[in-house]
Amino acid sequence: PPPPPPPTPFFFNPDDGIPDAQESRGLGDVYKRQGHEVFEHFFKSMDLQPWQFLVITQIIIFLLGWPLEWTEILIIFVPIFLPLVEFFGVNPYFFAMLIALNLQTSFLTPPMAMSAYYLKGVQSRNVELLDIFKGIMPFLLIVIFAMFLMYMFPGIALWLPEALFAN
């Protein structure tokens, strides 16, 4: 089949097969469809191995973790990536575990480091923000090491779901 046409801004092309605001259940439906098409076309146009797809998506999610809360990332971006997970043959449980660890990492690292600011808000008088960042570093290294182990040995993340959901 021919490649899909490039996405057009919604509201401007009523005959493109993508519902606009009046035809859809809301702007979220329009955004999800067009956002997914952009990401799907981008990832499928490159000749990626599954591990390359995982690294790119984890970098995107890591960068999104600085300005966004975890709920926004899960609600907006995970539905965009899930069909691609199937396309690349990645286990969805494995992908979910990587996202969970990745979000922990992004919440511990500057520039935003929301966890550090939460701690600063609780202990504002006795602790400096720089001290909190210094204290976070060992935990950050542990999370990064855990992600590395999961990439090298996916069974670490998959043994429990496989044991629970095996037929």
Side-chain angles (χ1 to χ4, degrees), residues 68-99:
L68 298 177
E69 285 281 346
W70 65 274
T71 51
E72 288 95 357
I73 295 170
L74 292 180
I75 291 171
I76 297 170
F77 289 96
V78 171
I80 291 173
F81 288 130
L82 277 179
L84 292 168
V85 167
E86 184 179 324
F87 175 78
F88 284 101
V90 175
N91 187 313
Y93 295 117
F94 181 69
F95 188 69
M97 296 293 180
L98 284 176
I99 289 175

PDB file of all heavy atoms in Angstrom, residues 68-99:
ATOM      1  N   LEU A  68       6.679  17.198  32.639  1.00  0.00           N
ATOM      2  CA  LEU A  68       5.337  16.636  32.807  1.00  0.00           C
ATOM      3  C   LEU A  68       5.286  15.671  33.984  1.00  0.00           C
ATOM      4  O   LEU A  68       6.268  15.014  34.311  1.00  0.00           O
ATOM      5  CB  LEU A  68       4.907  15.884  31.539  1.00  0.00           C
ATOM      6  CG  LEU A  68       4.795  16.686  30.254  1.00  0.00           C
ATOM      7  CD1 LEU A  68       4.446  15.761  29.105  1.00  0.00           C
ATOM      8  CD2 LEU A  68       3.759  17.781  30.391  1.00  0.00           C
ATOM      9  N   GLU A  69       4.129  15.560  34.574  1.00  0.00           N
ATOM     10  CA  GLU A  69       3.881  14.546  35.595  1.00  0.00           C
ATOM     11  C   GLU A  69       3.711  13.181  34.930  1.00  0.00           C
ATOM     12  O   GLU A  69       3.442  13.086  33.734  1.00  0.00           O
ATOM     13  CB  GLU A  69       2.604  14.885  36.371  1.00  0.00           C
ATOM     14  CG  GLU A  69       2.749  16.005  37.355  1.00  0.00           C
ATOM     15  CD  GLU A  69       3.410  15.562  38.646  1.00  0.00           C
ATOM     16  OE1 GLU A  69       3.523  14.342  38.902  1.00  0.00           O
ATOM     17  OE2 GLU A  69       3.830  16.452  39.399  1.00  0.00           O
ATOM     18  N   TRP A  70       3.822  12.130  35.734  1.00  0.00           N
ATOM     19  CA  TRP A  70       3.727  10.780  35.190  1.00  0.00           C
ATOM     20  C   TRP A  70       2.349  10.503  34.614  1.00  0.00           C
ATOM     21  O   TRP A  70       2.216   9.759  33.647  1.00  0.00           O
ATOM     22  CB  TRP A  70       4.105   9.747  36.243  1.00  0.00           C
ATOM     23  CG  TRP A  70       3.175   9.680  37.419  1.00  0.00           C
ATOM     24  CD1 TRP A  70       3.213  10.427  38.555  1.00  0.00           C
ATOM     25  CD2 TRP A  70       2.040   8.826  37.548  1.00  0.00           C
ATOM     26  NE1 TRP A  70       2.185  10.100  39.381  1.00  0.00           N
ATOM     27  CE2 TRP A  70       1.446   9.110  38.801  1.00  0.00           C
ATOM     28  CE3 TRP A  70       1.463   7.859  36.742  1.00  0.00           C
ATOM     29  CZ2 TRP A  70       0.322   8.448  39.241  1.00  0.00           C
ATOM     30  CZ3 TRP A  70       0.342   7.196  37.195  1.00  0.00           C
ATOM     31  CH2 TRP A  70      -0.223   7.498  38.438  1.00  0.00           C
ATOM     32  N   THR A  71       1.309  11.116  35.171  1.00  0.00           N
ATOM     33  CA  THR A  71      -0.034  10.841  34.670  1.00  0.00           C
ATOM     34  C   THR A  71      -0.207  11.342  33.237  1.00  0.00           C
ATOM     35  O   THR A  71      -0.820  10.665  32.416  1.00  0.00           O
ATOM     36  CB  THR A  71      -1.091  11.486  35.578  1.00  0.00           C
ATOM     37  OG1 THR A  71      -0.766  12.866  35.783  1.00  0.00           O
ATOM     38  CG2 THR A  71      -1.164  10.772  36.906  1.00  0.00           C
ATOM     39  N   GLU A  72       0.329  12.528  32.937  1.00  0.00           N
ATOM     40  CA  GLU A  72       0.217  13.050  31.576  1.00  0.00           C
ATOM     41  C   GLU A  72       0.966  12.158  30.585  1.00  0.00           C
ATOM     42  O   GLU A  72       0.500  11.907  29.481  1.00  0.00           O
ATOM     43  CB  GLU A  72       0.759  14.486  31.490  1.00  0.00           C
ATOM     44  CG  GLU A  72      -0.118  15.512  32.139  1.00  0.00           C
ATOM     45  CD  GLU A  72       0.302  15.806  33.561  1.00  0.00           C
ATOM     46  OE1 GLU A  72       1.252  15.166  34.058  1.00  0.00           O
ATOM     47  OE2 GLU A  72      -0.328  16.666  34.190  1.00  0.00           O
ATOM     48  N   ILE A  73       2.128  11.688  30.985  1.00  0.00           N
ATOM     49  CA  ILE A  73       2.912  10.829  30.097  1.00  0.00           C
ATOM     50  C   ILE A  73       2.167   9.528  29.832  1.00  0.00           C
ATOM     51  O   ILE A  73       2.078   9.066  28.694  1.00  0.00           O
ATOM     52  CB  ILE A  73       4.311  10.577  30.693  1.00  0.00           C
ATOM     53  CG1 ILE A  73       5.090  11.888  30.742  1.00  0.00           C
ATOM     54  CG2 ILE A  73       5.061   9.517  29.890  1.00  0.00           C
ATOM     55  CD1 ILE A  73       6.385  11.820  31.511  1.00  0.00           C
ATOM     56  N   LEU A  74       1.614   8.932  30.876  1.00  0.00           N
ATOM     57  CA  LEU A  74       0.896   7.670  30.690  1.00  0.00           C
ATOM     58  C   LEU A  74      -0.376   7.835  29.880  1.00  0.00           C
ATOM     59  O   LEU A  74      -0.707   6.992  29.046  1.00  0.00           O
ATOM     60  CB  LEU A  74       0.571   7.041  32.046  1.00  0.00           C
ATOM     61  CG  LEU A  74       1.755   6.527  32.847  1.00  0.00           C
ATOM     62  CD1 LEU A  74       1.285   5.935  34.168  1.00  0.00           C
ATOM     63  CD2 LEU A  74       2.554   5.516  32.069  1.00  0.00           C
ATOM     64  N   ILE A  75      -1.088   8.919  30.089  1.00  0.00           N
ATOM     65  CA  ILE A  75      -2.360   9.114  29.392  1.00  0.00           C
ATOM     66  C   ILE A  75      -2.161   9.556  27.947  1.00  0.00           C
ATOM     67  O   ILE A  75      -2.891   9.130  27.055  1.00  0.00           O
ATOM     68  CB  ILE A  75      -3.237  10.127  30.162  1.00  0.00           C
ATOM     69  CG1 ILE A  75      -3.693   9.500  31.471  1.00  0.00           C
ATOM     70  CG2 ILE A  75      -4.430  10.569  29.339  1.00  0.00           C
ATOM     71  CD1 ILE A  75      -4.372  10.473  32.419  1.00  0.00           C
ATOM     72  N   ILE A  76      -1.168  10.394  27.686  1.00  0.00           N
ATOM     73  CA  ILE A  76      -1.000  10.951  26.341  1.00  0.00           C
ATOM     74  C   ILE A  76      -0.046  10.119  25.487  1.00  0.00           C
ATOM     75  O   ILE A  76      -0.362   9.772  24.350  1.00  0.00           O
ATOM     76  CB  ILE A  76      -0.513  12.414  26.411  1.00  0.00           C
ATOM     77  CG1 ILE A  76      -1.565  13.288  27.095  1.00  0.00           C
ATOM     78  CG2 ILE A  76      -0.206  12.948  25.019  1.00  0.00           C
ATOM     79  CD1 ILE A  76      -1.094  14.687  27.425  1.00  0.00           C
ATOM     80  N   PHE A  77       1.118   9.772  26.016  1.00  0.00           N
ATOM     81  CA  PHE A  77       2.159   9.218  25.164  1.00  0.00           C
ATOM     82  C   PHE A  77       2.203   7.693  25.111  1.00  0.00           C
ATOM     83  O   PHE A  77       2.565   7.126  24.086  1.00  0.00           O
ATOM     84  CB  PHE A  77       3.527   9.763  25.566  1.00  0.00           C
ATOM     85  CG  PHE A  77       3.664  11.210  25.205  1.00  0.00           C
ATOM     86  CD1 PHE A  77       3.409  12.199  26.127  1.00  0.00           C
ATOM     87  CD2 PHE A  77       4.001  11.573  23.918  1.00  0.00           C
ATOM     88  CE1 PHE A  77       3.494  13.534  25.782  1.00  0.00           C
ATOM     89  CE2 PHE A  77       4.089  12.906  23.566  1.00  0.00           C
ATOM     90  CZ  PHE A  77       3.841  13.881  24.503  1.00  0.00           C
ATOM     91  N   VAL A  78       1.850   7.019  26.190  1.00  0.00           N
ATOM     92  CA  VAL A  78       1.883   5.559  26.146  1.00  0.00           C
ATOM     93  C   VAL A  78       0.897   5.012  25.113  1.00  0.00           C
ATOM     94  O   VAL A  78       1.255   4.100  24.358  1.00  0.00           O
ATOM     95  CB  VAL A  78       1.669   4.965  27.551  1.00  0.00           C
ATOM     96  CG1 VAL A  78       1.486   3.466  27.492  1.00  0.00           C
ATOM     97  CG2 VAL A  78       2.876   5.307  28.429  1.00  0.00           C
ATOM     98  N   PRO A  79      -0.329   5.541  24.980  1.00  0.00           N
ATOM     99  CA  PRO A  79      -1.200   5.039  23.908  1.00  0.00           C
ATOM    100  C   PRO A  79      -0.640   5.269  22.503  1.00  0.00           C
ATOM    101  O   PRO A  79      -0.954   4.529  21.580  1.00  0.00           O
ATOM    102  CB  PRO A  79      -2.504   5.818  24.099  1.00  0.00           C
ATOM    103  CG  PRO A  79      -2.497   6.224  25.517  1.00  0.00           C
ATOM    104  CD  PRO A  79      -1.058   6.452  25.869  1.00  0.00           C
ATOM    105  N   ILE A  80       0.192   6.267  22.352  1.00  0.00           N
ATOM    106  CA  ILE A  80       0.822   6.505  21.048  1.00  0.00           C
ATOM    107  C   ILE A  80       1.869   5.431  20.766  1.00  0.00           C
ATOM    108  O   ILE A  80       2.005   4.952  19.643  1.00  0.00           O
ATOM    109  CB  ILE A  80       1.443   7.915  21.001  1.00  0.00           C
ATOM    110  CG1 ILE A  80       0.334   8.969  21.000  1.00  0.00           C
ATOM    111  CG2 ILE A  80       2.332   8.085  19.785  1.00  0.00           C
ATOM    112  CD1 ILE A  80       0.826  10.389  21.133  1.00  0.00           C
ATOM    113  N   PHE A  81       2.607   5.020  21.801  1.00  0.00           N
ATOM    114  CA  PHE A  81       3.689   4.052  21.616  1.00  0.00           C
ATOM    115  C   PHE A  81       3.214   2.597  21.604  1.00  0.00           C
ATOM    116  O   PHE A  81       3.904   1.737  21.054  1.00  0.00           O
ATOM    117  CB  PHE A  81       4.746   4.209  22.710  1.00  0.00           C
ATOM    118  CG  PHE A  81       5.577   5.448  22.577  1.00  0.00           C
ATOM    119  CD1 PHE A  81       5.763   6.301  23.651  1.00  0.00           C
ATOM    120  CD2 PHE A  81       6.188   5.767  21.375  1.00  0.00           C
ATOM    121  CE1 PHE A  81       6.529   7.436  23.531  1.00  0.00           C
ATOM    122  CE2 PHE A  81       6.957   6.910  21.243  1.00  0.00           C
ATOM    123  CZ  PHE A  81       7.124   7.739  22.322  1.00  0.00           C
ATOM    124  N   LEU A  82       2.080   2.292  22.213  1.00  0.00           N
ATOM    125  CA  LEU A  82       1.679   0.891  22.342  1.00  0.00           C
ATOM    126  C   LEU A  82       1.529   0.145  21.010  1.00  0.00           C
ATOM    127  O   LEU A  82       1.983  -0.989  20.903  1.00  0.00           O
ATOM    128  CB  LEU A  82       0.405   0.769  23.174  1.00  0.00           C
ATOM    129  CG  LEU A  82       0.622   0.763  24.672  1.00  0.00           C
ATOM    130  CD1 LEU A  82      -0.698   0.653  25.405  1.00  0.00           C
ATOM    131  CD2 LEU A  82       1.573  -0.312  25.108  1.00  0.00           C
ATOM    132  N   PRO A  83       0.906   0.702  19.977  1.00  0.00           N
ATOM    133  CA  PRO A  83       0.858  -0.040  18.706  1.00  0.00           C
ATOM    134  C   PRO A  83       2.249  -0.288  18.121  1.00  0.00           C
ATOM    135  O   PRO A  83       2.481  -1.298  17.463  1.00  0.00           O
ATOM    136  CB  PRO A  83       0.037   0.860  17.785  1.00  0.00           C
ATOM    137  CG  PRO A  83      -0.759   1.721  18.694  1.00  0.00           C
ATOM    138  CD  PRO A  83       0.087   1.910  19.909  1.00  0.00           C
ATOM    139  N   LEU A  84       3.174   0.616  18.377  1.00  0.00           N
ATOM    140  CA  LEU A  84       4.536   0.424  17.890  1.00  0.00           C
ATOM    141  C   LEU A  84       5.250  -0.664  18.673  1.00  0.00           C
ATOM    142  O   LEU A  84       6.110  -1.361  18.129  1.00  0.00           O
ATOM    143  CB  LEU A  84       5.303   1.737  17.975  1.00  0.00           C
ATOM    144  CG  LEU A  84       4.813   2.810  17.009  1.00  0.00           C
ATOM    145  CD1 LEU A  84       5.406   4.160  17.351  1.00  0.00           C
ATOM    146  CD2 LEU A  84       5.139   2.430  15.585  1.00  0.00           C
ATOM    147  N   VAL A  85       4.910  -0.831  19.938  1.00  0.00           N
ATOM    148  CA  VAL A  85       5.480  -1.916  20.742  1.00  0.00           C
ATOM    149  C   VAL A  85       5.140  -3.252  20.087  1.00  0.00           C
ATOM    150  O   VAL A  85       5.992  -4.124  19.941  1.00  0.00           O
ATOM    151  CB  VAL A  85       4.957  -1.840  22.196  1.00  0.00           C
ATOM    152  CG1 VAL A  85       5.257  -3.097  22.971  1.00  0.00           C
ATOM    153  CG2 VAL A  85       5.530  -0.632  22.896  1.00  0.00           C
ATOM    154  N   GLU A  86       3.892  -3.382  19.668  1.00  0.00           N
ATOM    155  CA  GLU A  86       3.469  -4.612  18.984  1.00  0.00           C
ATOM    156  C   GLU A  86       4.178  -4.760  17.644  1.00  0.00           C
ATOM    157  O   GLU A  86       4.616  -5.852  17.282  1.00  0.00           O
ATOM    158  CB  GLU A  86       1.957  -4.585  18.783  1.00  0.00           C
ATOM    159  CG  GLU A  86       1.400  -5.845  18.173  1.00  0.00           C
ATOM    160  CD  GLU A  86      -0.109  -5.765  18.027  1.00  0.00           C
ATOM    161  OE1 GLU A  86      -0.770  -5.186  18.903  1.00  0.00           O
ATOM    162  OE2 GLU A  86      -0.608  -6.288  17.014  1.00  0.00           O
ATOM    163  N   PHE A  87       4.323  -3.662  16.902  1.00  0.00           N
ATOM    164  CA  PHE A  87       4.975  -3.705  15.596  1.00  0.00           C
ATOM    165  C   PHE A  87       6.428  -4.182  15.711  1.00  0.00           C
ATOM    166  O   PHE A  87       6.899  -4.948  14.888  1.00  0.00           O
ATOM    167  CB  PHE A  87       4.933  -2.321  14.943  1.00  0.00           C
ATOM    168  CG  PHE A  87       5.690  -2.223  13.652  1.00  0.00           C
ATOM    169  CD1 PHE A  87       5.146  -2.725  12.476  1.00  0.00           C
ATOM    170  CD2 PHE A  87       6.943  -1.642  13.607  1.00  0.00           C
ATOM    171  CE1 PHE A  87       5.845  -2.649  11.279  1.00  0.00           C
ATOM    172  CE2 PHE A  87       7.650  -1.549  12.416  1.00  0.00           C
ATOM    173  CZ  PHE A  87       7.098  -2.060  11.258  1.00  0.00           C
ATOM    174  N   PHE A  88       7.128  -3.726  16.745  1.00  0.00           N
ATOM    175  CA  PHE A  88       8.527  -4.103  16.923  1.00  0.00           C
ATOM    176  C   PHE A  88       8.699  -5.411  17.694  1.00  0.00           C
ATOM    177  O   PHE A  88       9.829  -5.850  17.919  1.00  0.00           O
ATOM    178  CB  PHE A  88       9.310  -2.981  17.612  1.00  0.00           C
ATOM    179  CG  PHE A  88       9.627  -1.840  16.696  1.00  0.00           C
ATOM    180  CD1 PHE A  88       8.890  -0.676  16.734  1.00  0.00           C
ATOM    181  CD2 PHE A  88      10.650  -1.935  15.772  1.00  0.00           C
ATOM    182  CE1 PHE A  88       9.176   0.381  15.873  1.00  0.00           C
ATOM    183  CE2 PHE A  88      10.937  -0.893  14.914  1.00  0.00           C
ATOM    184  CZ  PHE A  88      10.201   0.263  14.964  1.00  0.00           C
ATOM    185  N   GLY A  89       7.609  -6.017  18.111  1.00  0.00           N
ATOM    186  CA  GLY A  89       7.686  -7.303  18.783  1.00  0.00           C
ATOM    187  C   GLY A  89       8.217  -7.222  20.202  1.00  0.00           C
ATOM    188  O   GLY A  89       8.832  -8.173  20.695  1.00  0.00           O
ATOM    189  N   VAL A  90       7.967  -6.118  20.874  1.00  0.00           N
ATOM    190  CA  VAL A  90       8.421  -5.941  22.249  1.00  0.00           C
ATOM    191  C   VAL A  90       7.298  -6.358  23.181  1.00  0.00           C
ATOM    192  O   VAL A  90       6.132  -6.037  22.952  1.00  0.00           O
ATOM    193  CB  VAL A  90       8.820  -4.467  22.502  1.00  0.00           C
ATOM    194  CG1 VAL A  90       9.186  -4.232  23.948  1.00  0.00           C
ATOM    195  CG2 VAL A  90       9.951  -4.061  21.579  1.00  0.00           C
ATOM    196  N   ASN A  91       7.649  -7.079  24.219  1.00  0.00           N
ATOM    197  CA  ASN A  91       6.667  -7.495  25.208  1.00  0.00           C
ATOM    198  C   ASN A  91       6.107  -6.256  25.914  1.00  0.00           C
ATOM    199  O   ASN A  91       6.870  -5.443  26.444  1.00  0.00           O
ATOM    200  CB  ASN A  91       7.328  -8.430  26.222  1.00  0.00           C
ATOM    201  CG  ASN A  91       6.336  -9.041  27.177  1.00  0.00           C
ATOM    202  OD1 ASN A  91       5.488  -8.360  27.739  1.00  0.00           O
ATOM    203  ND2 ASN A  91       6.448 -10.336  27.360  1.00  0.00           N
ATOM    204  N   PRO A  92       4.779  -6.082  25.945  1.00  0.00           N
ATOM    205  CA  PRO A  92       4.204  -4.880  26.568  1.00  0.00           C
ATOM    206  C   PRO A  92       4.492  -4.776  28.067  1.00  0.00           C
ATOM    207  O   PRO A  92       4.621  -3.674  28.596  1.00  0.00           O
ATOM    208  CB  PRO A  92       2.705  -4.988  26.309  1.00  0.00           C
ATOM    209  CG  PRO A  92       2.473  -6.267  25.628  1.00  0.00           C
ATOM    210  CD  PRO A  92       3.768  -6.903  25.308  1.00  0.00           C
ATOM    211  N   TYR A  93       4.610  -5.907  28.762  1.00  0.00           N
ATOM    212  CA  TYR A  93       4.958  -5.858  30.185  1.00  0.00           C
ATOM    213  C   TYR A  93       6.377  -5.324  30.367  1.00  0.00           C
ATOM    214  O   TYR A  93       6.651  -4.535  31.263  1.00  0.00           O
ATOM    215  CB  TYR A  93       4.852  -7.245  30.831  1.00  0.00           C
ATOM    216  CG  TYR A  93       3.452  -7.781  30.858  1.00  0.00           C
ATOM    217  CD1 TYR A  93       3.119  -8.936  30.173  1.00  0.00           C
ATOM    218  CD2 TYR A  93       2.452  -7.127  31.569  1.00  0.00           C
ATOM    219  CE1 TYR A  93       1.840  -9.423  30.190  1.00  0.00           C
ATOM    220  CE2 TYR A  93       1.164  -7.613  31.595  1.00  0.00           C
ATOM    221  CZ  TYR A  93       0.858  -8.771  30.906  1.00  0.00           C
ATOM    222  OH  TYR A  93      -0.414  -9.246  30.932  1.00  0.00           O
ATOM    223  N   PHE A  94       7.276  -5.755  29.504  1.00  0.00           N
ATOM    224  CA  PHE A  94       8.654  -5.274  29.537  1.00  0.00           C
ATOM    225  C   PHE A  94       8.698  -3.775  29.274  1.00  0.00           C
ATOM    226  O   PHE A  94       9.389  -3.026  29.971  1.00  0.00           O
ATOM    227  CB  PHE A  94       9.485  -6.042  28.510  1.00  0.00           C
ATOM    228  CG  PHE A  94      10.928  -5.651  28.460  1.00  0.00           C
ATOM    229  CD1 PHE A  94      11.775  -5.943  29.516  1.00  0.00           C
ATOM    230  CD2 PHE A  94      11.443  -4.993  27.358  1.00  0.00           C
ATOM    231  CE1 PHE A  94      13.104  -5.588  29.477  1.00  0.00           C
ATOM    232  CE2 PHE A  94      12.774  -4.634  27.311  1.00  0.00           C
ATOM    233  CZ  PHE A  94      13.610  -4.924  28.379  1.00  0.00           C
ATOM    234  N   PHE A  95       7.940  -3.331  28.285  1.00  0.00           N
ATOM    235  CA  PHE A  95       7.876  -1.907  27.962  1.00  0.00           C
ATOM    236  C   PHE A  95       7.329  -1.111  29.149  1.00  0.00           C
ATOM    237  O   PHE A  95       7.845  -0.038  29.481  1.00  0.00           O
ATOM    238  CB  PHE A  95       7.011  -1.706  26.720  1.00  0.00           C
ATOM    239  CG  PHE A  95       7.012  -0.314  26.181  1.00  0.00           C
ATOM    240  CD1 PHE A  95       8.151   0.220  25.598  1.00  0.00           C
ATOM    241  CD2 PHE A  95       5.873   0.463  26.222  1.00  0.00           C
ATOM    242  CE1 PHE A  95       8.154   1.508  25.087  1.00  0.00           C
ATOM    243  CE2 PHE A  95       5.866   1.744  25.715  1.00  0.00           C
ATOM    244  CZ  PHE A  95       7.012   2.272  25.144  1.00  0.00           C
ATOM    245  N   ALA A  96       6.314  -1.632  29.805  1.00  0.00           N
ATOM    246  CA  ALA A  96       5.728  -0.948  30.966  1.00  0.00           C
ATOM    247  C   ALA A  96       6.733  -0.839  32.108  1.00  0.00           C
ATOM    248  O   ALA A  96       6.818   0.201  32.772  1.00  0.00           O
ATOM    249  CB  ALA A  96       4.473  -1.680  31.431  1.00  0.00           C
ATOM    250  N   MET A  97       7.494  -1.895  32.341  1.00  0.00           N
ATOM    251  CA  MET A  97       8.512  -1.855  33.405  1.00  0.00           C
ATOM    252  C   MET A  97       9.598  -0.827  33.084  1.00  0.00           C
ATOM    253  O   MET A  97      10.060  -0.103  33.975  1.00  0.00           O
ATOM    254  CB  MET A  97       9.153  -3.226  33.595  1.00  0.00           C
ATOM    255  CG  MET A  97       8.225  -4.273  34.069  1.00  0.00           C
ATOM    256  SD  MET A  97       7.688  -3.914  35.744  1.00  0.00           S
ATOM    257  CE  MET A  97       6.624  -5.293  36.014  1.00  0.00           C
ATOM    258  N   LEU A  98      10.007  -0.754  31.814  1.00  0.00           N
ATOM    259  CA  LEU A  98      11.006   0.236  31.426  1.00  0.00           C
ATOM    260  C   LEU A  98      10.473   1.662  31.620  1.00  0.00           C
ATOM    261  O   LEU A  98      11.195   2.539  32.085  1.00  0.00           O
ATOM    262  CB  LEU A  98      11.429   0.038  29.975  1.00  0.00           C
ATOM    263  CG  LEU A  98      12.374  -1.114  29.705  1.00  0.00           C
ATOM    264  CD1 LEU A  98      12.617  -1.251  28.203  1.00  0.00           C
ATOM    265  CD2 LEU A  98      13.687  -0.936  30.431  1.00  0.00           C
ATOM    266  N   ILE A  99       9.222   1.869  31.270  1.00  0.00           N
ATOM    267  CA  ILE A  99       8.626   3.195  31.452  1.00  0.00           C
ATOM    268  C   ILE A  99       8.588   3.558  32.934  1.00  0.00           C
ATOM    269  O   ILE A  99       8.913   4.689  33.314  1.00  0.00           O
ATOM    270  CB  ILE A  99       7.221   3.269  30.832  1.00  0.00           C
ATOM    271  CG1 ILE A  99       7.326   3.251  29.315  1.00  0.00           C
ATOM    272  CG2 ILE A  99       6.483   4.507  31.296  1.00  0.00           C
ATOM    273  CD1 ILE A  99       6.001   3.189  28.620  1.00  0.00           C
TER     274      ILE A  99
END
